[in-house]
Amino acid sequence: MPQIHALETVSLRDVFPNEAQDFTPWLANHLHLLESKLNLTLQLVKVEATLPEAGRVDILAQQVNTEAIVVIENQLGLSDDSHCLRLMGYAASAEANILVWVAQDFTDYHRSILSWLNESDTIAVYAVAVRAYRVADAIAADFQLVVEPPQSQPGATPTSTRMNTNTFYADFYRPVVAQLRRSDMFPVGRGGFRGRWRSFQTGYPEIFYVAGLSEGKALAHLSVYGADNQHIYHALTQHRADIDARLNNGAEWEEGKDYSRIGLRTEAVIGDPKPDLETVGDWIAENLVRLRDVVQPYLDEMMNDAATSGDNEDAEWS
């Protein structure tokens, strides 16, 4: 009968005296231990990768199936606010789709923050607790999943892509946003529209170019919010004949109490069951630029006239 040894818990710092010099390199070389817990296939990109305005990422990786950016932040002790804040900064800088925080253990407070982030549909967040054990003369490590995003679709296997709304929309919009940036259209930011929607700057508060997926169709809109939304909308309708003609009479005009909008949508329902997402993304980018080129000159003229007429309360929209 083989000799059976008891597991003895060992302090992580006894095994890895220095987080940056010992633990991070070891974890980078053993990503396969994380893969089985996360149900992801990971490829190492770089250790201690420098991100503009956000410092260094412990480990930068990619999800092999989707090329989604994965940021891994690790620490040897109990989760703390410093590492939590750093993780958020890395996510914003890297435009990461997947965040993984590895620590010895997590407080209820930090678990609640990560769970709350998972309620959005733009990012997938994992918290993984790591333990070290001594088995006779050997050291063993074990990972336990503490926080995870919504479960993958039915039928997923351990080697398949984890597909949920957290990663789907981020993966879909990444090339769309990049294409629009090249046309000088810049996103409003993470705090604006999420999930099925992305918003882009017009140069004016509460007025956005909006990309969306709704009821199986793709949309490209100029959306006007705020107390003056109907005034601005009415002013734009004075140029409706020209706007409609330049948009091939395909524009939708909608006036509402809280917001009004002018936009385009695909006529056909996006393919089922597997749409050509690249084609859909190209349609959104091309039509949002087309809408901008047609509407922005009128919008600029209106806003400049309103600004020169005095305070906003006395502005005349014409």
Side-chain angles (χ1 to χ4, degrees), residues 16-34:
F16 306 102
N18 184 280
E19 181 177 306
Q21 297 177 11
D22 301 312
F23 185 52
T24 299
W26 175 84
L27 184 59
N29 290 324
H30 292 80
L31 289 181
H32 63 280
L33 298 178
L34 273 179

Side-chain angles (χ1 to χ4, degrees), residues 138-184:
I139 298 294
D142 181 50
F143 293 93
Q144 295 296 326
L145 197 55
V146 175
V147 175
E148 63 178 324
Q151 294 299 309
S152 57
Q153 296 291 338
T157 65
T159 58
S160 67
T161 303
R162 180 180 291 272
M163 180 59 68
N164 51 56
T165 54
N166 293 63
T167 57
F168 173 80
Y169 291 117
D171 291 342
F172 170 77
Y173 275 113
R174 189 183 306 108
V176 177
V177 171
Q179 188 172 341
L180 287 167
R181 283 181 181 275
R182 291 192 292 271
S183 297
D184 294 325

